[in-house]
Amino acid sequence: MTDTVAELQMQLIELQTQIAFQEDTLSALDTVVTAQQRQIDQLTLWCERLMRQLDQVATGAAEPAEPELPPHY
């Protein structure tokens, strides 16, 4: 009977060890995924800005109608 209890204790310890490693791995993956999502959000914002600038250039709105003269003229 004591062999069975000792074996169950060893199995329990092994399972607890595996869970601890899995929790550590999940935490590391969560950190990576969060950083990647921030980067995706930033890249999406940059792409939207570039698309607006491209639209402005395509419609001619990016260039002023007349060149501005310096203030001393």
Side-chain angles (χ1 to χ4, degrees):
M1 181 87 169
T2 57
D3 289 338
T4 305
V5 172
E7 186 178 323
L8 287 174
Q9 286 177 338
M10 292 300 293
Q11 289 176 356
L12 180 61
I13 291 170
E14 179 65 28
L15 288 172
Q16 289 172 333
T17 304
Q18 289 176 4
I19 289 172
F21 280 116
Q22 288 177 352
E23 287 175 346
D24 185 53
T25 301
L26 283 174
S27 177
L29 287 172
D30 182 55
T31 301
V32 170
V33 169
T34 302
Q36 287 177 339
Q37 186 60 51
R38 272 192 237 115
Q39 187 178 23
I40 289 170
D41 292 342
Q42 187 176 23
L43 290 171
T44 301
L45 180 62
W46 289 349
C47 284
E48 289 171 356
R49 288 179 182 169
L50 287 172
M51 291 301 294
R52 281 195 298 269
Q53 288 177 357
L54 184 60
D55 286 343
Q56 289 176 350
V57 169
T59 60
E63 297 179 20
E66 295 181 20
E68 293 184 25
L69 296 175
H72 61 278
Y73 282 100

